[in-house]
Amino acid sequence: HVRSRRQRQMCIRDRIETGFDEASPGRGRVNYRGASWDARSAQEHFATGALTTIIDRNGSNLVVGDKEL
């Protein structure tokens, strides 16, 4: 499987700040390089403080998940 340059760059870990819970399944905020970002995921729930992987970016939203590229 050959990954694009963008995919290689986006295979980075970040930390869940808020969301990804019953009140906001599949969406929340993550901390990446000291900044807070809006994020979405196919996975509905993550624990606050959990590490996850940035798998893509859609505008100013990060797409996160447990998928390792």
Side-chain angles (χ1 to χ4, degrees):
H1 175 69
V2 177
R3 293 183 286 171
S4 71
R5 182 176 179 184
R6 180 175 178 185
Q7 286 174 320
R8 286 191 307 271
Q9 290 172 340
M10 296 304 291
C11 190
I12 298 170
R13 304 293 278 182
D14 62 355
R15 191 169 300 277
I16 303 296
E17 290 184 333
T18 62
F20 297 104
D21 54 17
E22 293 298 322
S24 55
R27 58 189 170 85
R29 305 242 346 136
V30 298
N31 185 287
Y32 171 63
R33 291 189 173 182
S36 186
W37 291 72
D38 287 324
R40 297 208 176 269
S41 178
Q43 183 174 331
E44 291 186 352
H45 301 103
F46 289 100
T48 300
L51 287 174
T52 187
T53 302
I54 300 169
I55 56 177
D56 202 358
R57 183 175 57 93
N58 185 356
S60 62
N61 291 306
L62 298 179
V63 179
V64 300
D66 288 333
K67 178 180 176 184
E68 292 291 334
L69 295 175

